[in-house]
Every structure is written in C-alpha cells, then in structure tokens.
Amino acid sequence: MTGQEIKPSTTPVARGMSFERGVVIALGLLALVGGLVAILVGTGWLGTFRAQRPLADPILVQWLRDNSQAAIAIAIVLGIVLFVLGLWWVVRALRPEPRPDLLLERGNGDLTVTSAALTEAVRADAERVTGVKRARVRMAGSVQRPALRLTLSLQEGTNVRHVWEELDEKVLSRARESLGLDTLPTAIRLQLDRAPRQRVH
C-alpha cells in the first residue's frame, strides 16, 4: 500500500436508494410544473379568459355526468393500480438487503461459499489486526459483483495508517485470493473504541 494512491471505495455504505430517489424527484418535478402552470393561469399570464374559468372544466364535468358508470370504473381501476404500486414500493423498500453467496469454480465441480462463512472469516482476520478491538462484517452487492462492508472499532491511540495497510495486506488480500477475485470492493468504517471511564471513590 505504501506509495500507492488510495482510491475512494465505490461500495455503498448503505443500501442504494437510486430508484426511490428517482421516483421522488420525478414526482417533485411534476408537482412543481403543475404548480407553476396553475400560478401562471391563475394570475392571467396565459389570458384573462383562462384565469376566470372554474377550476373544474365544465366540459369535463358534463362528460362525467353523462358517463358516470364509465367514470366510476376508471376511478376504481386507477385506484387499484395506485394501491398496487404503493404496496410494491413499500415491500421493495422494506425488503432485507441481499447477502449474496459466492459460487466458485474449483476443478470439475462448483463450490458455494456462504456469506455467513465469508464474513465470519474476514471478521476473525480483521480482529487480529493490530489495534482493532472489534470488527463487524457484512456482505453487499450481488453474486456477480460482491462487496464487503467493514466496521472496525479501534483501540485508543492506534495508528490508523498501519491498520489500513495491515488490513489490505493480511485480510482483504486473503479474501480476494480465497474467492479467486481480482477486486473486492470494500467500504471501511473506522470508529474509536474509547476506554471505560474510571470512577473516583
């Protein structure tokens, strides 16, 4: 690690929320555009005739009166669709993050390494690093693109650079070699484990 440039990890520290953020941004933009159009119409920027018209278009109101059964059916279908979409969104947001098992090809057969076995091995190796008091490890990513998340509790006064170097040389390199991977993206979080306070008697 000495003399090499340390690149920022691309492993997400938390579950990716790109889809949820995209939907929220799209809904926000849609609401913003609708609000701006309403302001422009209401203030008369698009003509005084449009500004004086009622909020509910009379033609649309008359069509709903003449086709009440069709309007009710459309409203029910739209409500069901929105309910299903909302339920799907909630289930997707609450679904536990996958912890992929890795399928390795060794000789004539395949070998599956469970995420629990891998994280336990990495945790044991990480806690042997000088200055590391406790370690928590989680799998992330997918079967095709596995990744790790490490949370290390360091003893007070620990040299962080030495921990970083020893972690890459002894822990992560061993994990990459065991899995037969050239790269294993890893997000590392360091926290100081403070010594317990002593009571004064």
Side-chain angles (χ1 to χ4, degrees):
M1 292 288 291
T2 305
Q4 297 180 356
E5 180 183 359
I6 300 176
K7 298 181 179 180
S9 174
T10 58
T11 307
V13 177
R15 180 201 295 230
M17 303 292 287
S18 57
F19 175 79
E20 286 79 2
R21 290 174 181 171
V23 173
V24 171
I25 291 174
L27 292 176
L29 291 176
L30 185 62
L32 179 62
V33 172
L36 291 176
V37 171
I39 292 175
L40 293 176
V41 173
T43 54
W45 282 75
L46 300 179
T48 56
F49 175 73
R50 287 189 177 88
Q52 295 173 356
R53 293 184 65 182
L55 182 61
D57 193 294
I59 298 177
L60 178 60
V61 173
Q62 186 61 39
W63 184 89
L64 292 175
R65 289 176 180 173
D66 297 339
N67 304 273
S68 58
Q69 293 183 350
I72 292 174
I74 293 174
I76 292 175
V77 172
L78 183 60
I80 293 175
V81 170
L82 292 176
F83 175 77
V84 171
L85 287 176
L87 187 62
W88 170 79
W89 194 351
V90 170
V91 171
R92 185 182 185 277
L94 297 179
R95 182 177 56 194
E97 184 180 19
R99 300 181 183 182
D101 298 331
L102 302 182
L103 182 63
L104 306 180
E105 296 181 0
R106 297 292 175 87
N108 298 327
D110 295 333
L111 175 64
T112 300
V113 180
T114 64
S115 61
L118 178 61
T119 53
E120 179 61 25
V122 174
R123 184 197 62 79
D125 288 344
E127 290 184 347
R128 295 190 184 98
V129 173
T130 305
V132 175
K133 191 172 183 179
R134 291 187 308 274
R136 294 195 304 271
V137 185
R138 290 193 61 179
M139 286 293 297
S142 61
V143 177
Q144 294 76 20
R145 300 180 61 183
L148 286 176
R149 294 186 189 142
L150 271 70
T151 301
L152 305 179
S153 297
L154 305 182
Q155 298 174 0
E156 195 168 0
T158 300
N159 190 315
V160 177
R161 176 171 290 276
H162 290 169
V163 171
W164 190 273
E165 294 175 354
E166 192 173 348
L167 188 68
D168 182 72
E169 294 173 358
K170 297 182 179 180
V171 180
L172 299 181
S173 61
R174 180 179 175 183
R176 290 192 296 265
E177 292 175 1
S178 300
L179 298 175
L181 299 175
D182 295 330
T183 59
L184 182 60
T186 305
I188 302 174
R189 180 181 178 184
L190 303 178
Q191 59 186 23
L192 181 61
D193 191 77
R194 296 184 178 180
R197 296 181 179 179
Q198 296 181 353
R199 294 184 179 181
V200 178
H201 298 282

